[in-house]
Amino acid sequence: MALKRKLKRKSSVHAYVSVSLPNDISCAARIDIGRQQRRGFPEVIYCPGKTLTQIKRIAECILRYNDVVLMTRADEKVFRVAKKVSSKAVYNRDARLVYIQKQSPVRCKGLILVISAGTSDIPVAEEAAVTAELMGNNVERLYDVGVAGIHRLLEKSEMLKKAAVLVVVAGMEGALASVVSGMVKTPVIGVPTSVGYGASFSGIAPLLTMLNSCSPGVCVVNIDNGFGAGYLAGLINKK
Amino acid sequence: MALKRKLKRKSSVHAYVSVSLPNDISCAARIDIGRQQRRGFPEVIYCPGKTLTQIKRIAECILRYNDVVLMTRADEKVFRVAKKVSSKAVYNRDARLVYIQKQSPVRCKGLILVISAGTSDIPVAEEAAVTAELMGNNVERLYDVGVAGIHRLLEKSEMLKKAAVLVVVAGMEGALASVVSGMVKTPVIGVPTSVGYGASFSGIAPLLTMLNSCSPGVCVVNIDNGFGAGYLAGLINKK
Amino acid sequence: MALKRKLKRKSSVHAYVSVSLPNDISCAARIDIGRQQRRGFPEVIYCPGKTLTQIKRIAECILRYNDVVLMTRADEKVFRVAKKVSSKAVYNRDARLVYIQKQSPVRCKGLILVISAGTSDIPVAEEAAVTAELMGNNVERLYDVGVAGIHRLLEKSEMLKKAAVLVVVAGMEGALASVVSGMVKTPVIGVPTSVGYGASFSGIAPLLTMLNSCSPGVCVVNIDNGFGAGYLAGLINKK
Amino acid sequence: MALKRKLKRKSSVHAYVSVSLPNDISCAARIDIGRQQRRGFPEVIYCPGKTLTQIKRIAECILRYNDVVLMTRADEKVFRVAKKVSSKAVYNRDARLVYIQKQSPVRCKGLILVISAGTSDIPVAEEAAVTAELMGNNVERLYDVGVAGIHRLLEKSEMLKKAAVLVVVAGMEGALASVVSGMVKTPVIGVPTSVGYGASFSGIAPLLTMLNSCSPGVCVVNIDNGFGAGYLAGLINKK
Amino acid sequence: MALKRKLKRKSSVHAYVSVSLPNDISCAARIDIGRQQRRGFPEVIYCPGKTLTQIKRIAECILRYNDVVLMTRADEKVFRVAKKVSSKAVYNRDARLVYIQKQSPVRCKGLILVISAGTSDIPVAEEAAVTAELMGNNVERLYDVGVAGIHRLLEKSEMLKKAAVLVVVAGMEGALASVVSGMVKTPVIGVPTSVGYGASFSGIAPLLTMLNSCSPGVCVVNIDNGFGAGYLAGLINKK
Amino acid sequence: MALKRKLKRKSSVHAYVSVSLPNDISCAARIDIGRQQRRGFPEVIYCPGKTLTQIKRIAECILRYNDVVLMTRADEKVFRVAKKVSSKAVYNRDARLVYIQKQSPVRCKGLILVISAGTSDIPVAEEAAVTAELMGNNVERLYDVGVAGIHRLLEKSEMLKKAAVLVVVAGMEGALASVVSGMVKTPVIGVPTSVGYGASFSGIAPLLTMLNSCSPGVCVVNIDNGFGAGYLAGLINKK
Amino acid sequence: MALKRKLKRKSSVHAYVSVSLPNDISCAARIDIGRQQRRGFPEVIYCPGKTLTQIKRIAECILRYNDVVLMTRADEKVFRVAKKVSSKAVYNRDARLVYIQKQSPVRCKGLILVISAGTSDIPVAEEAAVTAELMGNNVERLYDVGVAGIHRLLEKSEMLKKAAVLVVVAGMEGALASVVSGMVKTPVIGVPTSVGYGASFSGIAPLLTMLNSCSPGVCVVNIDNGFGAGYLAGLINKK
Amino acid sequence: MALKRKLKRKSSVHAYVSVSLPNDISCAARIDIGRQQRRGFPEVIYCPGKTLTQIKRIAECILRYNDVVLMTRADEKVFRVAKKVSSKAVYNRDARLVYIQKQSPVRCKGLILVISAGTSDIPVAEEAAVTAELMGNNVERLYDVGVAGIHRLLEKSEMLKKAAVLVVVAGMEGALASVVSGMVKTPVIGVPTSVGYGASFSGIAPLLTMLNSCSPGVCVVNIDNGFGAGYLAGLINKK
């Protein structure tokens, strides 16, 4: 299978990356290269379901027109491919993120606090934290403060109040987001995780918990979507 | 439609109550009259789906062989029927309970504390509280202490620790059960309620929350099942 | 039924409102009167499942210690009760909101734009818009711009970019939130509505759509939760 | 295990293919050999759950009475078996299709346009495209034009209008089908894919999105059913 | 409440209809008046959730720029409002449709056959049939031919083969769509209905049945969506 | 609205009954008049969703060619219509059945035993019992023997063993079917009912219980489908 | 781990088989050895979740007191263990059954016909067929007659009418059971299978289809439960 | 990866355990070291989703301040790590538990009886039993007494009555909890298991069964949550 790279600048908004298909049916991934300008951060590569070849080409294209490229749900193999794109590639195993930064982002004021209920929620929490850091935010972490021992959270109430935005990552019953929100004046982004078993139904339980929060000021992103939470926290903080 | 009442003592364990059906097909409700002796509390009448005639006959039969008869999810009409069975009939509107007590129950030591997250959860909480009282328990109530203002609960931590069993009634996200459980050494019975809207799915959200509690020591009964929670609390307290 | 009002200041954080129950079992709604100070906006009364007596007492209590009281999912009867609490009571039928403001809120800079996909989504959209206005925000509305005629939205792209926060209210398939988010640099709060039939499953379809948005920067609140979206938009804008 | 092939022409409509079972219980796959004549295209072999022996025999039987045999969800092993049936066997890895054509199909006028929202949706999109091509249709592809960057789609509006039928393949929130449908006068076939995670519930989210499309003219096939969409597009185009 | 009608031609593509809201917050329904030109049929009014005032104004606006206005899920009250818009208003009770035609549509060749499984499915079937007729199609009906007596369908096989497009409307288990599809060379549009009880789950059972059809060539629209099926059948037939 | 009755014998298998529709679109219910001969019992009229006019015409047609007509889920109004069809019409309120028998059915040997778990399940149980009786079966009833007092069932073990087929009707958790099946050598037909609340989900709980029976020999029909269970019991008993 | 076999005849109804556990906690599987006498067929071993040691001991115990032992969902390893129990052990790979028969069962009159919709459904169909054969029934098979080519079934209508009981095994949309039932006077047992993908939800689609059958006389067993269907067919046929 | 252990006593209630993360982002698991004092039993380590390093450090920290550490859902690897923490580590394979006890717990009076429906439910039952034993309870086991042979349970009715608390572990339809509860005066804790297939939906069927128990006195914990049931039984017994 011969792969031919045809990167052509189409317009100011997107570029084509050809991805060779069997039997000479060639199709092009249409990279949204103007996204950094339009939305403040370039297109991000969600790795599952993409071949390494596709990931490499898309990364090269994004990097050509933007300051950073971020690959989510990445593994060791994706990292090796990213290394070929640029020696600056960094792999954060816990966060399952690979990224290449051409230059540091503009620093934002305001603190983003990422909280996790349990130790098993840390990978998703790290995905949120590292994403927000890549967007130039100041991020602090407060992990393993689930409601089974509520005093762990209460002791940190000053830390909570200091934050401009809070990301609360919790699996099992996901009750932490409501409790945190009741203690602060600022927006809380709930991230339900698939940590748990049985009637957690791979994250449905904490998802419903967070959607039904009796404490206003909580919003929710998809199950295990640490990236989305970090990104949204960045948008709110930059506001 | 001619109704003929044929109450015949069958054995020590149950009695037949004929319930006349159209077209002369007569069928008998088989009352489990030995249940008070066997289980400590007589059979209870769940009213929805039963005709007033059925309720009256079953109540008469239970009362003949037991000290008390309890009708759950009862309304004004059931109360009127119960009044005909005995002038001692009592109607607790909030708890939707009608009951007739021939004599006061044996008093149990130990406190049962019934907690509700919101004002709208009170009917279910009252169903639990009154049921436990009918079984001879000492019951206290702590209502409207949902996690949106966690300090309301924390202030009452001594009250929580005093209780032998706790019943936690909560709709919406139902996070209260986990938080309460984390503060005590005693069993917590969670009662999810159908209070809420949208993604609470008529009580599925708090049901899942309570089933997935990160705090061990929480068990769950059916949605809106205040009776079941009060009954179970009574069994545990009598232990 | 004799109702006795016992409003006693307990501490700086909450007050008790007794709500008389049948059979002399008196229970108290524990108003979180310190919430305005702690969270920036006082406790809100979600009306369904509460009696008019409960609503009146809770409203009186909140108003005593705060600048405003807001009643959601309110109807004509709630309005009549609110009128008795204060002649300043206002009823917004579309938004199903009743509120009493002692004084105007501090004005916030920044525009909140509330967008609806269809005409049937307007009540939820109005709930969001009026809530945000009560918090002192400048709110604009853009209604009936669903994706079946995408040009209606595209024409307004400058209006979208002007907003500091966007609330997107949509039922049926709820695709609007993703499209809007792809056009702006700012946070988008998606509110799925129960508008639709069949496989919309009372709002599950747009809820899932918004949770799975391919465009980062979208977060979601509960189905039909206009209040929650307006409140969160206010928190973000005040940041 | 001795396998005996007993291909006997039964009637004009179907043939038996014996599939030997353990313990001498022989059963016959009843091939619908008249399907090409009755429906315009012969029976298709859905490979999962079938043994290679079954696939081989069914393929031989179909090919004997028809012009083409198509195997869906096929892998390398199926291809090897198909090679034994005929040296003309072709394997399209992306589309997971193996097929053997005895002669080229009659060409249809009219363009079928296959659109995908993301790069990960391409395998399903290719399944649709190749199926339609095997039926004699002229197919064009437009991939990676998801609604997160709606301008990518809008730029191609002339291409959309040119098509007689459109197939829209999308996972995650699946919003693309509604937007495309709003831009054309022709039928749109939505294919939800299982691309996504968490609350996409393996394709339920885009399935519901497409079923609830606010834009009339959209119909839906099963999750990941590229074959079905391509087949239906062929039927519509041949009309 | 003073209502002021402000119909202003905005551009060639849409018009504003002001819908007065309480408290002087005026919002405008953004009618997609260019839809007939763009899509071949003007915007349709889905009545549930809209006030009669909204329906009247939207209908007037659509009719001003298009040849026909169609109101779905309409009742007697909607008809009375439509009569005020134009004396030509027609109410089809079975199909729950109200429409006003300024002139007859261009006639299409090709037959659309609308089939129903049971008598209770007729309202949805009529919604499909009348919609297709309003688009200028020749429609025939074949009702009450469910699979419990398959000979009723088989007798009509010539009628089935004559049709260019078939709409199959079925509740309960919805098996009819697969059987019909297996007998023809043309597209079949399945419309699951909410007819049934228990495990039909208001139409989920036939919806899943049709989505999983073992017979290729079947596509599906939303539960009870007769309008959508008739509209799509019209698009396919006009092709 | 002028209704014209056009009963024409079409063939030996079915007849048309015209059902007038508004706007002169006449459609015909296709009665499967040969069903008694083919299947042993004529077509049955499921009343919900049918107009009284439709029910009357279908009943007349079925009765013309068969010995009996049965209307399920019937109410007082259906009975009045049936009375006009024949003075022999009988209404069983508990079973919600109306039927007209021209002659008594052939008697079958073998006993069908219909068992219910609770009093609220009796309507469904009666539907099963009366249906089986109409088919000529000898039916006995054993009601209110739920597993909360298992001795009630055990006392009747001889009665259980005497039956050729057993129908077990149960709501709530539906455990009765498994227990009964474990005590007999004969087929058990489980009928889950919608009796219950909360997590019974209108009958899903007992449906799943019966489908997962650890005791082989249990089969299941739809929730609340007493008719189907009685009919199937009749088929098995006639075998 | 030392395993000690302690088979002791306890009573006429069951025996204990000790299954050694780690840490000297010994527990006994309580074999229901009287089941053949009580129910007509001995206890059956469902293999998943049991260790080979458990399976061997339970098989030995059952075989000691009964004429046959049947192991379902068995694989090669189970067969090897069964060989050690008795050299008469037989393994039917397609049906995933292992069995040991001490003597042939009493032959029953009456034919059981096992029908499958597709080739992939054959394993479940064989499980049903072989189970019924082990109970002494005469079984015929009719495979691959799904509704996509309904003529394949219609050709066999005489075969269908000949059967005393029919087992219909179908995945995907599962429509076959209804169609078959409409052609016969005898009971039809539907077995939904997990064959399919996407919206078949591992067998939910055909399960719902069969539960909602518009043709009375169909009952349903669990998804993929070929054993249960064969067993029930045997009970019905023996009646 | 250099791991640095920094165990520092923070206060009387919890300690930090640093868990090194890649890229020098160090985060601390916040061990709730005061839990034994507050709740009667120390924090428990749910192993899935945690790295071996995390498990080791958390175990060391818990053990430093408490008498016992319990690891649930543990495998061989966890055991090996636990061995390094202390040579007293014990691995119970059936219960999937690893624990280290510094000293024996205080013995409680009262018997806890753990009952399982089938042999495949034993791992969950053992998890409950061993947990309760670790808390100092006297535990007896009664396994394999499912309702398919109800006499196995009835024979043991004296054993049931002797227990202070009963834990009932059951998969498939989970009917056992209701039956047991109907025979005793004491609390029954139901543990649904994921044993089963098809419509058991990984434990949803027995979960719903137990939640809907017609016998009051049953409560439920999460699917497969043997630990939670044993823990709760311990709390109730200690009461």
Side-chain angles (χ1 to χ4, degrees), chain B:
Chain B
M1 188 164 70
L3 298 175
K4 291 149 292 171
R5 183 171 153 208
K6 286 174 286 183
L7 262 181
K8 311 167 287 194
R9 176 124 197 195
K10 180 65 186 298
S11 71
S12 67
V13 282
H14 61 74
Y16 295 88
V17 179
S18 78
V19 180
S20 71
L21 291 170
N23 306 317
D24 288 321
I25 299 157
S26 160
C27 86
R30 225 156 295 265
I31 307 304
D32 186 1
I33 60 173
R35 195 176 289 184
Q36 180 171 335
Q37 187 189 331
R38 196 172 82 251
R39 303 214 51 204
F41 197 81
E43 192 167 352
V44 165
I45 306 172
Y46 174 71
C47 296
K50 295 195 179 65
T51 65
L52 291 174
T53 304
Q54 287 172 330
I55 290 170
K56 181 160 175 285
R57 291 185 172 192
I58 297 171
E60 286 167 340
C61 177
I62 290 175
L63 204 60
R64 174 168 298 190
Y65 301 105
N66 297 282
D67 295 340
V68 62
V69 62
L70 175 59
M71 286 149 264
T72 64
R73 308 283 165 104
D75 57 16
E76 208 66 51
K77 287 177 194 161
V78 169
F79 181 42
R80 259 176 266 136
V81 156
K83 274 288 195 192
K84 290 182 193 158
V85 176
S86 160
S87 61
K88 286 182 169 176
V90 175
Y91 181 26
N92 184 317
R93 265 166 202 79
D94 265 280
R96 293 165 303 172
L97 294 176
V98 168
Y99 53 87
I100 305 168
Q101 271 183 306
K102 290 204 288 209
Q103 54 179 85
S104 292
V106 180
R107 304 301 306 173
C108 304
K109 285 189 204 165
L111 173 68
I112 294 175
L113 179 61
V114 178
I115 303 174
S116 91
T119 311
S120 306
D121 299 316
I122 291 179
V124 176
E126 279 300 303
E127 196 185 59
V130 176
T131 297
E133 286 170 342
L134 282 173
M135 294 172 80
N137 294 285
N138 182 22
V139 176
E140 291 193 15
R141 288 149 172 92
L142 179 59
Y143 289 168
D144 206 15
V145 291
V147 300
I150 195 77
H151 58 281
R152 293 178 293 191
L153 185 71
L154 299 172
E155 280 178 9
K156 298 286 175 181
S157 69
E158 288 315 307
M159 191 185 191
L160 301 188
K161 284 173 187 154
K162 220 174 55 186
V165 196
L166 299 100
V167 174
V168 177
V169 182
M172 304 186 88
E173 88 272 56
L176 189 59
S178 295
V179 177
V180 166
S181 166
M183 297 167 70
V184 299
K185 289 184 175 176
T186 42
V188 171
I189 303 167
V191 190
T193 73
S194 53
V195 170
Y197 61 91
S200 91
F201 299 130
S202 304
I204 293 181
L207 172 63
L208 296 186
T209 301
M210 291 173 179
L211 283 170
N212 286 285
S213 178
C214 59
S215 175
V218 177
C219 65
V220 190
V221 296
N222 197 0
I223 298 163
D224 290 334
N225 189 6
F227 160 71
Y231 185 96
L232 179 66
L235 289 193
I236 293 175
N237 194 35
K238 197 155 55 185
K239 206 205 63 65

Side-chain angles (χ1 to χ4, degrees), chain E residues 146-150 154 171-176 178-179 181-183 196-201 204-206 208-216, chain G residues 146-150 154 171-176 178-179 181-183 196-201 204-206 208-216:
Chain E
V147 299
I150 194 75
L154 300 173
M172 304 185 87
E173 89 270 56
L176 189 59
S178 295
V179 177
S181 166
M183 297 167 69
Y197 61 93
S200 93
F201 300 130
I204 293 181
L208 296 186
T209 301
M210 291 172 179
L211 282 170
N212 286 285
S213 178
C214 60
S215 175
Chain G
V147 300
I150 195 76
L154 299 172
M172 303 186 89
E173 89 271 56
L176 190 59
S178 295
V179 177
S181 165
M183 297 168 68
Y197 62 92
S200 92
F201 299 130
I204 293 181
L208 295 187
T209 301
M210 291 172 179
L211 283 169
N212 286 285
S213 177
C214 60
S215 175

Side-chain angles (χ1 to χ4, degrees), chain E residues 39 45 57 62-63 75 94 114 140 150 161 170 185 194 203:
Chain E
R39 304 214 51 204
I45 307 172
R57 292 184 170 194
I62 291 175
L63 204 60
D75 56 17
D94 264 281
V114 178
E140 291 193 14
I150 194 75
K161 283 172 188 155
K185 289 183 177 179
S194 54

Side-chain angles (χ1 to χ4, degrees), chain G residues 6-18 28-38 43 58 61-62 64-66, chain H residues 142-146 148-157 159:
Chain G
K6 288 174 284 183
L7 262 180
K8 313 166 285 195
R9 175 123 199 194
K10 179 66 188 300
S11 71
S12 67
V13 282
H14 61 75
Y16 295 87
V17 180
S18 78
R30 224 155 296 265
I31 308 304
D32 186 0
I33 60 173
R35 195 175 290 183
Q36 180 171 336
Q37 186 187 332
R38 196 173 82 250
E43 193 167 350
I58 298 171
C61 177
I62 291 174
R64 174 167 298 190
Y65 302 105
N66 296 281
Chain H
L142 178 59
Y143 289 168
D144 205 17
V145 292
I150 195 76
H151 58 280
R152 294 179 292 192
L153 184 72
L154 300 173
E155 279 178 9
K156 297 287 176 182
S157 69
M159 190 185 193

